[in-house]
Amino acid sequence: MQTLSIREKPGFTEWRDLARDLLQREIPPEQTLWECGAQGALALGSTPCAETREKAISSFRVSRTFLELCELASRHQDDQRYALLYRLLWRLHHEDRRLLARATDDDVMTLARLVKAVRRDAYKIKAFVRFREVKNPHGEPCYVCWYQPEHYTLELALPFFTTRFRNMRWSLMTPYRAAHWDGEALTLEDNPDPSRYPAFDEVERYWLQYYASIFNPARLKVKAMSGQMPQKYWKNLPEAALIPELIRRANPTQSSVNPLRPARNTAPQRESETPPERADPQSIRPSGLRAAKSDAP
Amino acid sequence: MNSDDLAKKLAILADAAKYDASCSSGGAGKRSAGKGEGKGLGSLTGGTGICHSFTPDGRCVSLLKILMTNYCIYDCHYCINRASSNVARARFSEQEIIDLTMNFYRRNYIEGLFLSSGIIQTPDYTMEAIVRIAKSLRQDHHFKGYIHLKTIPNASPALQEEAGWYADRLSINVELPTSQSLALYAPQKNLNVITGTMTRLDDRISEARAAKKPARYIRGGQSTQMIIGADATSDKGILSASVDLYSRFKLRRVYYSAFSPIPGGGSALPAKPAPLLREHRLYQADWLLRFYEFQLDDILMGADGDMLDLNLDPKLAWALRNRQMFPVDLNRADKSLLLRVPGLGARSVQKILSIRRYHALRWTDLIKLRLPTQKIRPFVSVLDYSPPVRLLEKDALETIIQPARQLNLFENAS
């Protein structure tokens, strides 16, 4: 049994190098055990040397599409993702080069599901980031956000922000990594300090007012809203705190029955004085299919 | 921006704007602010734009959708802001709208601005103000986000055409599907004037595109909105009007808005709201016409009194009237026939076409594709399944395939 350890978040490059080496050495997926984020020496001896890597590249090529899908899937929280990706690589090599076209194959379906979840999560960053304005020591405005994505998707959303807000200074902080833009260049920082997220923004009250006023209480469709904006995202959204009250006022006859499930873990912390808790992404529950076996040994 | 006054205006003028169904911020291609001198803000991502939030009515919040003012000299019966209504009134200054847009945009709340207005003083006076706001956003603030402007009916053609240089989308509401209804309920509006504006703008759009160096002119095209159920027009009348609008003026979207009674709306109007389900069925039919290769006759042939069946989605209703076409063999049927199967969307059809190049579909494949197997059961056959004949012949077919879930969706709305 080979134990492979991936330290980076997300760990696509590491996985790719390890996988090339394993494939080159004809090690079947059943004999591999993939670990994420683990510390320690288990991975020793499996580091590929440059020579075998070169051979592997020349002996087997995979489509660009497959690699792109792997890159996306490797951002998922699911512990089994690297094992899945290697199994797919193995099967592409030994079983069927057109495997990915078989949309109802179990592994292909799982890959599709991971990729879809990651893409959606990255889209939701673009949608749900709410900057707050602060002044830096030079008195210039900076826009700061603390955002908790479900997967390791920050990097996927960055081109959007550097394009749209090119001429602003901004910081987008997530539990595993922050991106800081000074108008010209991007700096990445691991494990940022969420207390730098300001507790107040003077424009936010107008946004809340707008949100409450543009809602049409005559057309209450809570399910349709929750489908697009599930409660797991509410912690990132200042306006989400208004939702229960808006529903209650729109539908006073049903006030005894809250159409929303009692909120676990919600009560958006946004308005409190205390900064949001720093969450280790590993502690964010994987929504994944074969959920959490712990990463650590 | 720091006064309670502004918050109050926002409450009134956002509330007044929510009767416009459009929230789209897409279809206008890509664009972004340049590097030069730190100027400019914003981008268009291409595709359909981004929904930044959702309100409990299930609608997307993509644009800052407001009226410049809800004072109005017109007296359209169906409109909450008509001259004789006694709603609270407010008016934004031009600077307030610009500041709100820029401040909201910088915080990533919105994709841009959707600006409409009641008509004050004269149509031209109102349209001039709208154009000035858009022009300032573009030229003084180098704003590259989305701008959707409502053109004011009866404003001068030159102003409407100028608006096109700043807007990604222009819309003008036909409001009611026939000129008779418009005369009855909106005496100051005239269908010929409205369609005249659409024609002129469409001509300008074509010119701009055909130019040697194509100009960016209303890249997101035109859209419009019709109120459903305020007058007696049938679904056939409404859909015919839509087909006409789509083909004559190349409209991007026709929005349907179910009429809901407003305080003191006058005796000419119905006292009851039109069912939201009717609006939903019209959207479904609209989709079939635009993306599923259906013709108007397919949808309405045999329909009861030219009305869509409220209990059945129009595709299912068509299938039930054309049972001889089924079951459809998913392994052999061509694309246009697959698109006619109730329960198969355009995406599922694409997947089916892709899979069957490699192997024949079995029932388990349909389950894995997460197709609504209960709904498609009577209509399809695959390698190891074909429906019992009685399933298609049974008179009670409707009750078998009508999923309870679909009714629940509208529980709250009725």
Side-chain angles (χ1 to χ4, degrees):
Chain A
M1 183 65 73
Q2 286 266 343
T3 301
L4 295 311
S5 184
I6 306 244
R7 293 187 193 79
E8 287 291 313
K9 297 169 189 170
F12 170 70
T13 321
E14 272 182 276
W15 170 83
R16 189 188 55 196
D17 291 347
L18 291 169
R20 273 175 181 160
D21 176 56
L22 291 168
L23 194 65
Q24 176 71 14
R25 292 191 283 131
E26 291 284 326
I27 297 182
E30 304 81 57
Q31 288 176 30
T32 59
L33 184 65
W34 295 84
E35 294 184 339
C36 323
Q39 314 285 325
L42 286 170
L44 281 182
S46 63
T47 314
C49 69
E51 197 182 323
T52 57
R53 208 186 296 169
E54 287 311 311
K55 269 193 217 158
I57 295 166
S58 59
S59 69
F60 180 67
R61 301 190 78 83
V62 288
S63 70
R64 186 190 204 119
T65 315
F66 177 66
L67 282 182
E68 281 166 6
L69 294 174
C70 289
E71 205 277 336
L72 290 169
S74 71
R75 297 175 175 278
H76 201 281
Q77 289 280 356
D78 193 288
D79 291 345
Q80 304 297 318
R81 62 194 185 274
Y82 295 117
L84 169 80
L85 296 181
Y86 184 59
R87 198 161 58 246
L88 279 162
L89 180 65
W90 179 268
R91 291 182 60 202
L92 276 168
H93 192 40
H94 289 277
E95 187 184 316
D96 181 358
R97 297 200 70 135
R98 300 187 304 179
L99 177 64
L100 293 185
R102 282 155 48 180
T104 50
D105 176 273
D106 285 343
D107 284 339
V108 175
M109 278 177 73
T110 308
L111 176 69
R113 202 166 351 156
L114 297 189
V115 166
K116 192 175 170 190
V118 164
R119 284 201 171 123
R120 182 175 159 94
D121 196 47
Y123 169 81
K124 293 299 186 188
I125 298 184
K126 299 174 204 170
F128 293 159
V129 153
R130 302 285 180 258
F131 285 121
R132 283 175 177 162
E133 188 186 307
V134 286
K135 295 277 192 283
N136 72 7
H138 308 291
E140 299 156 326
C142 298
Y143 295 84
V144 182
C145 178
W146 170 254
Y147 186 90
Q148 293 165 268
E150 209 176 349
H151 307 292
Y152 301 108
T153 47
L154 170 69
E155 294 84 356
L156 296 178
L158 290 177
F160 165 81
F161 287 98
T162 52
T163 305
R164 175 160 294 189
F165 302 112
R166 181 204 291 279
N167 296 320
M168 285 172 17
R169 287 175 196 80
W170 50 262
S171 287
L172 177 43
M173 298 188 287
T174 74
Y176 77 99
R177 191 161 294 149
H180 308 287
W181 175 258
D182 63 4
E184 278 164 18
L186 208 53
T187 317
L188 296 179
E189 174 197 9
D190 283 350
N191 306 313
D193 174 10
S195 71
R196 282 181 288 167
Y197 182 49
F200 175 78
D201 178 285
E202 67 168 350
V203 172
E204 203 166 276
R205 57 180 287 228
Y206 299 109
W207 168 242
L208 299 183
Q209 180 67 64
Y210 175 68
Y211 179 82
S213 305
I214 201 68
F215 161 56
N216 187 346
R219 312 173 66 113
L220 196 60
K221 286 185 190 171
V222 177
K223 255 193 210 162
M225 173 194 67
S226 312
Q228 299 293 334
M229 201 169 83
Q231 274 179 290
K232 65 186 175 193
Y233 291 110
W234 290 15
K235 58 183 180 288
N236 295 306
L237 298 167
E239 68 270 24
L242 304 176
I243 292 172
E245 175 65 10
L246 290 176
I247 293 172
R248 201 187 57 74
R249 270 193 279 162
N251 197 0
T253 51
Q254 284 188 15
S255 60
S256 56
V257 187
N258 186 348
L260 296 170
R261 278 175 294 120
R264 282 173 302 148
N265 171 37
T266 55
Q269 301 285 313
R270 289 311 192 77
E271 289 171 0
S272 71
E273 292 302 311
T274 51
E277 217 173 57
R278 183 195 293 206
D280 175 2
Q282 296 300 337
S283 76
I284 297 174
R285 224 161 290 132
S287 68
L289 29 149
R290 301 163 203 167
K293 283 166 213 149
S294 166
D295 275 343
Chain B
M1 28 198 282
N2 50 10
S3 73
D4 286 342
D5 187 43
L6 182 62
K8 273 184 205 142
K9 285 185 193 176
L10 188 56
I12 292 169
L13 294 169
D15 188 88
K18 70 186 170 203
Y19 301 98
D20 250 306
S22 168
C23 68
S24 164
S25 58
K30 289 189 177 192
R31 178 175 64 208
S32 59
K35 268 181 188 169
E37 303 160 37
K39 272 197 304 196
L41 173 70
S43 64
L44 297 180
T45 56
T48 54
I50 295 173
C51 291
H52 284 271
S53 196
F54 290 84
T55 47
D57 52 22
R59 286 185 166 169
C60 147
V61 181
S62 178
L63 302 171
L64 171 62
K65 182 160 62 180
I66 48 175
L67 298 193
M68 181 176 76
T69 177
N70 65 340
Y71 287 102
C72 193
I73 57 172
Y74 283 12
D75 204 31
C76 308
H77 292 260
Y78 51 79
C79 180
I80 186 87
N81 299 314
R82 72 193 185 288
S84 58
S85 168
N86 60 354
V87 289
R89 306 277 177 174
R91 178 181 176 178
F92 280 126
S93 74
E94 291 168 25
Q95 194 58 46
E96 281 171 335
I97 292 173
I98 290 165
D99 288 346
L100 272 174
T101 306
M102 297 296 285
N103 277 317
F104 276 21
Y105 197 89
R106 283 192 197 102
R107 285 158 181 77
N108 201 43
Y109 301 157
I110 53 168
E111 292 290 285
L113 174 67
F114 178 171
L115 187 61
S116 178
S117 184
I119 295 158
I120 39 177
Q121 298 198 21
T122 67
D124 274 359
Y125 175 88
T126 312
M127 194 69 207
E128 273 165 15
I130 286 177
V131 169
R132 262 197 312 274
I133 291 166
K135 184 178 182 180
S136 174
L137 276 168
R138 292 290 190 229
Q139 295 188 349
D140 304 336
H141 300 272
H142 306 279
F143 178 69
K144 307 287 185 191
Y146 200 85
I147 296 182
H148 178 164
L149 298 179
K150 193 56 91 49
T151 53
I152 303 295
N154 305 329
S156 76
L159 279 170
Q160 286 167 340
E161 286 170 28
E162 189 190 354
W165 291 109
Y166 315 120
D168 294 294
R169 171 165 288 182
L170 284 185
S171 61
I172 182 164
N173 287 355
V174 296
E175 308 291 12
L176 294 161
T178 66
S179 47
Q180 295 90 318
S181 298
L182 207 59
L184 190 61
Y185 295 117
Q188 289 107 328
K189 290 183 184 170
N190 177 314
L191 198 57
N192 288 332
V193 172
I194 292 170
T195 53
T197 303
M198 287 177 176
T199 308
R200 270 198 321 277
L201 289 172
D202 186 44
D203 288 347
R204 290 290 89 74
I205 293 172
S206 305
E207 268 172 36
R209 264 178 219 166
K212 230 178 207 170
K213 191 167 173 277
R216 181 175 251 290
Y217 187 82
I218 330 181
R219 275 284 292 277
Q222 302 187 70
S223 65
T224 192
Q225 175 166 313
M226 269 188 264
I227 298 165
I228 303 310
D231 64 345
T233 310
S234 67
D235 290 345
K236 184 178 186 179
I238 291 164
L239 289 170
S240 307
S242 296
V243 168
D244 191 45
L245 289 164
Y246 283 128
S247 60
R248 272 168 72 204
F249 313 112
K250 301 189 212 59
L251 289 198
R252 289 293 180 89
R253 277 297 290 277
V254 176
Y255 291 92
Y256 306 102
S257 173
F259 168 76
S260 79
I262 47 168
S267 55
L269 288 167
K272 279 191 159 180
L276 291 180
L277 198 50
R278 184 177 173 201
E279 180 190 295
H280 183 63
R281 295 289 177 237
L282 284 167
Y283 275 120
Q284 287 178 317
D286 186 283
W287 235 253
L288 293 180
L289 290 169
R290 289 192 296 147
F291 304 119
Y292 285 78
E293 303 172 20
F294 274 71
Q295 303 298 315
L296 199 53
D297 285 346
D298 295 331
I299 292 171
L300 285 155
M301 181 185 53
D304 189 17
D306 291 336
M307 294 296 280
L308 297 170
D309 189 337
L310 280 189
N311 294 315
L312 293 174
D313 76 65
K315 199 180 186 188
L316 185 54
W318 176 84
L320 294 181
R321 288 196 302 270
N322 295 277
R323 291 177 204 203
Q324 76 286 355
M325 311 276 292
F326 298 98
V328 165
D329 183 347
L330 296 189
N331 286 309
R332 291 177 197 284
D334 65 14
K335 188 177 171 187
S336 61
L337 190 52
L338 291 177
L339 284 171
R340 297 247 162 174
V341 177
L344 291 188
R347 259 191 209 167
S348 311
V349 166
Q350 212 49 56
K351 277 189 192 162
I352 288 169
L353 290 171
S354 155
I355 293 171
R356 73 184 194 186
R357 264 184 277 154
Y358 299 97
H359 63 83
L361 288 143
R362 293 170 178 273
W363 187 252
T364 49
D365 291 312
L366 307 188
I367 295 170
K368 285 179 167 183
L369 285 171
R370 301 212 175 168
L371 297 178
T373 45
Q374 195 59 21
K375 183 171 186 177
I376 64 177
R377 203 163 56 105
F379 300 109
V380 301
S381 65
V382 283
L383 197 60
D384 57 349
Y385 169 83
S386 58
V389 180
R390 58 175 171 75
L391 207 53
L392 260 172
E393 286 179 348
K394 203 169 166 187
D395 287 339
L397 187 60
E398 284 92 339
T399 57
I400 298 177
I401 50 191
Q402 187 67 8
R405 190 176 51 83
Q406 200 165 354
L407 292 173
N408 283 342
L409 255 177
F410 294 92
E411 218 167 42
N412 286 327
S414 57

